[in-house]
């Protein structure tokens, strides 16, 4: 499989948003499962029914051939997730704040 063929599996929307063609799934989803959770390609394909086993293997191969750039990609994805969670914590949506107040009131009664 040449690199040109391998990239045919992906939509490179931006440098920080690479998705599998025909899906809304980013490569970070597969790589997180593979690297951080030590799941096999078969387990990943079973978890995400919109993916084929071939797409999972293509993503892993892309990672292995481009370790430096994909490692940076994943690091940026993780950092972005932390920032978004922190922003949500500092500025919760009104419904989240209301639920937090209700929980606090309920706990105060017990």
């Amino acid at each position: 499989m040449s690199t040109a063929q391998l990239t045919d599996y992906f939509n490179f929307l931006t440098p920080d948003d690479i998705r599998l063609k025909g899906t809304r799934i980013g490569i970070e989803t597969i790589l997180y499962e593979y690297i951080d959770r030590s799941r096999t390609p078969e387990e990943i394909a079973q978890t995400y029914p919109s993916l084929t086993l071939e797409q999972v293997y293509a993503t892993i191969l892309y990672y292995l051939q481009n370790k430096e750039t994909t490692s940076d990609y994943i690091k940026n994805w993780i950092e972005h997730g932390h920032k978004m969670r922190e922003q949500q914590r500092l500025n919760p949506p009104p419904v989240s704040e209301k639920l937090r107040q209700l929980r606090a009131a309920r706990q105060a009664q017990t």
Side-chain angles (χ1 to χ4, degrees), residues 45-67:
Q46 286 175 350
T47 302
Y48 300 95
S50 62
L51 294 176
T52 66
L53 186 57
E54 185 177 350
Q55 287 173 310
V56 174
Y57 273 109
T59 305
I60 294 167
L61 183 57
Y62 179 78
Y63 160 71
L64 294 173
Q65 290 181 353
N66 302 278
K67 261 195 175 166

PDB file of all heavy atoms in Angstrom, residues 45-67:
ATOM      1  N   ALA A  45     -13.133  -1.880  15.471  1.00  0.00           N
ATOM      2  CA  ALA A  45     -14.128  -1.970  14.388  1.00  0.00           C
ATOM      3  C   ALA A  45     -15.482  -2.419  14.932  1.00  0.00           C
ATOM      4  O   ALA A  45     -16.528  -1.961  14.458  1.00  0.00           O
ATOM      5  CB  ALA A  45     -13.633  -2.919  13.297  1.00  0.00           C
ATOM      6  N   GLN A  46     -15.494  -3.292  15.930  1.00  0.00           N
ATOM      7  CA  GLN A  46     -16.760  -3.737  16.524  1.00  0.00           C
ATOM      8  C   GLN A  46     -17.414  -2.625  17.339  1.00  0.00           C
ATOM      9  O   GLN A  46     -18.635  -2.512  17.384  1.00  0.00           O
ATOM     10  CB  GLN A  46     -16.523  -4.954  17.431  1.00  0.00           C
ATOM     11  CG  GLN A  46     -16.252  -6.218  16.649  1.00  0.00           C
ATOM     12  CD  GLN A  46     -15.906  -7.390  17.555  1.00  0.00           C
ATOM     13  OE1 GLN A  46     -15.687  -7.222  18.755  1.00  0.00           O
ATOM     14  NE2 GLN A  46     -15.850  -8.583  16.987  1.00  0.00           N
ATOM     15  N   THR A  47     -16.596  -1.774  17.969  1.00  0.00           N
ATOM     16  CA  THR A  47     -17.105  -0.673  18.786  1.00  0.00           C
ATOM     17  C   THR A  47     -17.752   0.415  17.933  1.00  0.00           C
ATOM     18  O   THR A  47     -18.720   1.034  18.341  1.00  0.00           O
ATOM     19  CB  THR A  47     -15.959  -0.063  19.627  1.00  0.00           C
ATOM     20  OG1 THR A  47     -15.393  -1.096  20.431  1.00  0.00           O
ATOM     21  CG2 THR A  47     -16.454   1.046  20.531  1.00  0.00           C
ATOM     22  N   TYR A  48     -17.186   0.628  16.735  1.00  0.00           N
ATOM     23  CA  TYR A  48     -17.671   1.686  15.840  1.00  0.00           C
ATOM     24  C   TYR A  48     -18.195   1.046  14.560  1.00  0.00           C
ATOM     25  O   TYR A  48     -17.457   0.878  13.593  1.00  0.00           O
ATOM     26  CB  TYR A  48     -16.547   2.684  15.529  1.00  0.00           C
ATOM     27  CG  TYR A  48     -16.019   3.344  16.779  1.00  0.00           C
ATOM     28  CD1 TYR A  48     -14.900   2.848  17.445  1.00  0.00           C
ATOM     29  CD2 TYR A  48     -16.657   4.465  17.314  1.00  0.00           C
ATOM     30  CE1 TYR A  48     -14.429   3.446  18.602  1.00  0.00           C
ATOM     31  CE2 TYR A  48     -16.195   5.067  18.470  1.00  0.00           C
ATOM     32  CZ  TYR A  48     -15.078   4.550  19.111  1.00  0.00           C
ATOM     33  OH  TYR A  48     -14.632   5.144  20.259  1.00  0.00           O
ATOM     34  N   PRO A  49     -19.468   0.697  14.529  1.00  0.00           N
ATOM     35  CA  PRO A  49     -20.029  -0.032  13.392  1.00  0.00           C
ATOM     36  C   PRO A  49     -19.958   0.726  12.063  1.00  0.00           C
ATOM     37  O   PRO A  49     -20.016   0.109  11.008  1.00  0.00           O
ATOM     38  CB  PRO A  49     -21.487  -0.282  13.781  1.00  0.00           C
ATOM     39  CG  PRO A  49     -21.616   0.072  15.209  1.00  0.00           C
ATOM     40  CD  PRO A  49     -20.440   0.896  15.600  1.00  0.00           C
ATOM     41  N   SER A  50     -19.803   2.051  12.100  1.00  0.00           N
ATOM     42  CA  SER A  50     -19.707   2.799  10.840  1.00  0.00           C
ATOM     43  C   SER A  50     -18.322   2.677  10.209  1.00  0.00           C
ATOM     44  O   SER A  50     -18.115   3.138   9.091  1.00  0.00           O
ATOM     45  CB  SER A  50     -20.063   4.267  11.063  1.00  0.00           C
ATOM     46  OG  SER A  50     -19.153   4.870  11.957  1.00  0.00           O
ATOM     47  N   LEU A  51     -17.390   2.041  10.915  1.00  0.00           N
ATOM     48  CA  LEU A  51     -16.035   1.838  10.385  1.00  0.00           C
ATOM     49  C   LEU A  51     -15.849   0.401   9.920  1.00  0.00           C
ATOM     50  O   LEU A  51     -16.394  -0.521  10.511  1.00  0.00           O
ATOM     51  CB  LEU A  51     -14.984   2.110  11.469  1.00  0.00           C
ATOM     52  CG  LEU A  51     -14.858   3.522  11.990  1.00  0.00           C
ATOM     53  CD1 LEU A  51     -13.850   3.557  13.120  1.00  0.00           C
ATOM     54  CD2 LEU A  51     -14.446   4.464  10.881  1.00  0.00           C
ATOM     55  N   THR A  52     -15.031   0.257   8.889  1.00  0.00           N
ATOM     56  CA  THR A  52     -14.643  -1.087   8.469  1.00  0.00           C
ATOM     57  C   THR A  52     -13.308  -1.421   9.130  1.00  0.00           C
ATOM     58  O   THR A  52     -12.561  -0.521   9.537  1.00  0.00           O
ATOM     59  CB  THR A  52     -14.479  -1.166   6.938  1.00  0.00           C
ATOM     60  OG1 THR A  52     -13.377  -0.340   6.549  1.00  0.00           O
ATOM     61  CG2 THR A  52     -15.753  -0.741   6.213  1.00  0.00           C
ATOM     62  N   LEU A  53     -13.019  -2.689   9.205  1.00  0.00           N
ATOM     63  CA  LEU A  53     -11.737  -3.129   9.746  1.00  0.00           C
ATOM     64  C   LEU A  53     -10.597  -2.551   8.901  1.00  0.00           C
ATOM     65  O   LEU A  53      -9.561  -2.133   9.431  1.00  0.00           O
ATOM     66  CB  LEU A  53     -11.683  -4.664   9.784  1.00  0.00           C
ATOM     67  CG  LEU A  53     -10.461  -5.281  10.449  1.00  0.00           C
ATOM     68  CD1 LEU A  53     -10.293  -4.790  11.885  1.00  0.00           C
ATOM     69  CD2 LEU A  53     -10.573  -6.809  10.422  1.00  0.00           C
ATOM     70  N   GLU A  54     -10.814  -2.468   7.610  1.00  0.00           N
ATOM     71  CA  GLU A  54      -9.809  -1.899   6.702  1.00  0.00           C
ATOM     72  C   GLU A  54      -9.511  -0.437   7.060  1.00  0.00           C
ATOM     73  O   GLU A  54      -8.353  -0.019   7.058  1.00  0.00           O
ATOM     74  CB  GLU A  54     -10.316  -1.998   5.262  1.00  0.00           C
ATOM     75  CG  GLU A  54      -9.318  -1.560   4.224  1.00  0.00           C
ATOM     76  CD  GLU A  54      -9.853  -1.748   2.805  1.00  0.00           C
ATOM     77  OE1 GLU A  54     -10.906  -2.388   2.617  1.00  0.00           O
ATOM     78  OE2 GLU A  54      -9.204  -1.231   1.895  1.00  0.00           O
ATOM     79  N   GLN A  55     -10.539   0.337   7.384  1.00  0.00           N
ATOM     80  CA  GLN A  55     -10.336   1.735   7.768  1.00  0.00           C
ATOM     81  C   GLN A  55      -9.538   1.837   9.066  1.00  0.00           C
ATOM     82  O   GLN A  55      -8.695   2.725   9.216  1.00  0.00           O
ATOM     83  CB  GLN A  55     -11.678   2.448   7.937  1.00  0.00           C
ATOM     84  CG  GLN A  55     -12.388   2.729   6.642  1.00  0.00           C
ATOM     85  CD  GLN A  55     -13.788   3.284   6.883  1.00  0.00           C
ATOM     86  OE1 GLN A  55     -14.561   2.717   7.651  1.00  0.00           O
ATOM     87  NE2 GLN A  55     -14.089   4.396   6.236  1.00  0.00           N
ATOM     88  N   VAL A  56      -9.810   0.939   9.993  1.00  0.00           N
ATOM     89  CA  VAL A  56      -9.083   0.943  11.265  1.00  0.00           C
ATOM     90  C   VAL A  56      -7.602   0.633  11.008  1.00  0.00           C
ATOM     91  O   VAL A  56      -6.719   1.345  11.496  1.00  0.00           O
ATOM     92  CB  VAL A  56      -9.696  -0.068  12.267  1.00  0.00           C
ATOM     93  CG1 VAL A  56      -8.850  -0.158  13.534  1.00  0.00           C
ATOM     94  CG2 VAL A  56     -11.136   0.301  12.594  1.00  0.00           C
ATOM     95  N   TYR A  57      -7.341  -0.395  10.218  1.00  0.00           N
ATOM     96  CA  TYR A  57      -5.954  -0.737   9.895  1.00  0.00           C
ATOM     97  C   TYR A  57      -5.268   0.400   9.133  1.00  0.00           C
ATOM     98  O   TYR A  57      -4.101   0.694   9.368  1.00  0.00           O
ATOM     99  CB  TYR A  57      -5.878  -2.037   9.089  1.00  0.00           C
ATOM    100  CG  TYR A  57      -5.824  -3.274   9.954  1.00  0.00           C
ATOM    101  CD1 TYR A  57      -6.908  -4.140  10.037  1.00  0.00           C
ATOM    102  CD2 TYR A  57      -4.690  -3.573  10.700  1.00  0.00           C
ATOM    103  CE1 TYR A  57      -6.866  -5.278  10.831  1.00  0.00           C
ATOM    104  CE2 TYR A  57      -4.639  -4.703  11.501  1.00  0.00           C
ATOM    105  CZ  TYR A  57      -5.723  -5.549  11.565  1.00  0.00           C
ATOM    106  OH  TYR A  57      -5.668  -6.658  12.363  1.00  0.00           O
ATOM    107  N   ALA A  58      -5.983   1.061   8.228  1.00  0.00           N
ATOM    108  CA  ALA A  58      -5.414   2.177   7.466  1.00  0.00           C
ATOM    109  C   ALA A  58      -5.017   3.315   8.411  1.00  0.00           C
ATOM    110  O   ALA A  58      -3.947   3.928   8.248  1.00  0.00           O
ATOM    111  CB  ALA A  58      -6.399   2.670   6.416  1.00  0.00           C
ATOM    112  N   THR A  59      -5.841   3.575   9.414  1.00  0.00           N
ATOM    113  CA  THR A  59      -5.543   4.632  10.379  1.00  0.00           C
ATOM    114  C   THR A  59      -4.314   4.283  11.202  1.00  0.00           C
ATOM    115  O   THR A  59      -3.441   5.125  11.416  1.00  0.00           O
ATOM    116  CB  THR A  59      -6.752   4.877  11.306  1.00  0.00           C
ATOM    117  OG1 THR A  59      -7.895   5.149  10.504  1.00  0.00           O
ATOM    118  CG2 THR A  59      -6.493   6.021  12.265  1.00  0.00           C
ATOM    119  N   ILE A  60      -4.223   3.044  11.632  1.00  0.00           N
ATOM    120  CA  ILE A  60      -3.062   2.611  12.421  1.00  0.00           C
ATOM    121  C   ILE A  60      -1.794   2.670  11.564  1.00  0.00           C
ATOM    122  O   ILE A  60      -0.747   3.137  12.023  1.00  0.00           O
ATOM    123  CB  ILE A  60      -3.302   1.207  13.016  1.00  0.00           C
ATOM    124  CG1 ILE A  60      -4.440   1.282  14.047  1.00  0.00           C
ATOM    125  CG2 ILE A  60      -2.024   0.641  13.631  1.00  0.00           C
ATOM    126  CD1 ILE A  60      -4.993  -0.059  14.480  1.00  0.00           C
ATOM    127  N   LEU A  61      -1.900   2.238  10.322  1.00  0.00           N
ATOM    128  CA  LEU A  61      -0.751   2.294   9.414  1.00  0.00           C
ATOM    129  C   LEU A  61      -0.344   3.747   9.167  1.00  0.00           C
ATOM    130  O   LEU A  61       0.840   4.082   9.173  1.00  0.00           O
ATOM    131  CB  LEU A  61      -1.068   1.595   8.094  1.00  0.00           C
ATOM    132  CG  LEU A  61       0.075   1.521   7.079  1.00  0.00           C
ATOM    133  CD1 LEU A  61       1.304   0.833   7.667  1.00  0.00           C
ATOM    134  CD2 LEU A  61      -0.399   0.791   5.828  1.00  0.00           C
ATOM    135  N   TYR A  62      -1.316   4.619   8.974  1.00  0.00           N
ATOM    136  CA  TYR A  62      -1.025   6.044   8.791  1.00  0.00           C
ATOM    137  C   TYR A  62      -0.281   6.578  10.010  1.00  0.00           C
ATOM    138  O   TYR A  62       0.708   7.310   9.891  1.00  0.00           O
ATOM    139  CB  TYR A  62      -2.323   6.827   8.565  1.00  0.00           C
ATOM    140  CG  TYR A  62      -2.100   8.309   8.401  1.00  0.00           C
ATOM    141  CD1 TYR A  62      -1.637   8.826   7.188  1.00  0.00           C
ATOM    142  CD2 TYR A  62      -2.323   9.183   9.452  1.00  0.00           C
ATOM    143  CE1 TYR A  62      -1.412  10.191   7.037  1.00  0.00           C
ATOM    144  CE2 TYR A  62      -2.110  10.547   9.306  1.00  0.00           C
ATOM    145  CZ  TYR A  62      -1.645  11.039   8.106  1.00  0.00           C
ATOM    146  OH  TYR A  62      -1.411  12.382   7.958  1.00  0.00           O
ATOM    147  N   TYR A  63      -0.727   6.203  11.189  1.00  0.00           N
ATOM    148  CA  TYR A  63      -0.060   6.605  12.437  1.00  0.00           C
ATOM    149  C   TYR A  63       1.382   6.098  12.466  1.00  0.00           C
ATOM    150  O   TYR A  63       2.301   6.855  12.766  1.00  0.00           O
ATOM    151  CB  TYR A  63      -0.852   6.084  13.643  1.00  0.00           C
ATOM    152  CG  TYR A  63      -0.061   6.020  14.922  1.00  0.00           C
ATOM    153  CD1 TYR A  63       0.297   7.195  15.584  1.00  0.00           C
ATOM    154  CD2 TYR A  63       0.329   4.805  15.462  1.00  0.00           C
ATOM    155  CE1 TYR A  63       1.031   7.146  16.762  1.00  0.00           C
ATOM    156  CE2 TYR A  63       1.056   4.753  16.640  1.00  0.00           C
ATOM    157  CZ  TYR A  63       1.411   5.924  17.283  1.00  0.00           C
ATOM    158  OH  TYR A  63       2.143   5.871  18.448  1.00  0.00           O
ATOM    159  N   LEU A  64       1.583   4.826  12.142  1.00  0.00           N
ATOM    160  CA  LEU A  64       2.922   4.241  12.198  1.00  0.00           C
ATOM    161  C   LEU A  64       3.867   4.890  11.184  1.00  0.00           C
ATOM    162  O   LEU A  64       5.067   5.028  11.449  1.00  0.00           O
ATOM    163  CB  LEU A  64       2.851   2.726  11.972  1.00  0.00           C
ATOM    164  CG  LEU A  64       2.138   1.947  13.080  1.00  0.00           C
ATOM    165  CD1 LEU A  64       1.963   0.492  12.682  1.00  0.00           C
ATOM    166  CD2 LEU A  64       2.874   2.074  14.405  1.00  0.00           C
ATOM    167  N   GLN A  65       3.339   5.301  10.040  1.00  0.00           N
ATOM    168  CA  GLN A  65       4.163   5.937   9.009  1.00  0.00           C
ATOM    169  C   GLN A  65       4.394   7.419   9.282  1.00  0.00           C
ATOM    170  O   GLN A  65       5.296   8.019   8.692  1.00  0.00           O
ATOM    171  CB  GLN A  65       3.528   5.764   7.624  1.00  0.00           C
ATOM    172  CG  GLN A  65       3.579   4.344   7.114  1.00  0.00           C
ATOM    173  CD  GLN A  65       2.968   4.208   5.726  1.00  0.00           C
ATOM    174  OE1 GLN A  65       2.391   5.139   5.186  1.00  0.00           O
ATOM    175  NE2 GLN A  65       3.099   3.025   5.156  1.00  0.00           N
ATOM    176  N   ASN A  66       3.574   8.009  10.140  1.00  0.00           N
ATOM    177  CA  ASN A  66       3.655   9.455  10.408  1.00  0.00           C
ATOM    178  C   ASN A  66       3.607   9.715  11.912  1.00  0.00           C
ATOM    179  O   ASN A  66       2.857  10.572  12.380  1.00  0.00           O
ATOM    180  CB  ASN A  66       2.486  10.187   9.733  1.00  0.00           C
ATOM    181  CG  ASN A  66       2.457   9.974   8.248  1.00  0.00           C
ATOM    182  OD1 ASN A  66       3.167  10.629   7.509  1.00  0.00           O
ATOM    183  ND2 ASN A  66       1.641   9.028   7.802  1.00  0.00           N
ATOM    184  N   LYS A  67       4.436   8.989  12.653  1.00  0.00           N
ATOM    185  CA  LYS A  67       4.343   9.024  14.117  1.00  0.00           C
ATOM    186  C   LYS A  67       4.499  10.424  14.696  1.00  0.00           C
ATOM    187  O   LYS A  67       3.762  10.811  15.594  1.00  0.00           O
ATOM    188  CB  LYS A  67       5.369   8.087  14.741  1.00  0.00           C
ATOM    189  CG  LYS A  67       4.771   6.774  15.137  1.00  0.00           C
ATOM    190  CD  LYS A  67       5.677   6.020  16.056  1.00  0.00           C
ATOM    191  CE  LYS A  67       4.952   4.768  16.507  1.00  0.00           C
ATOM    192  NZ  LYS A  67       5.806   3.816  17.130  1.00  0.00           N
TER     193      LYS A  67
END
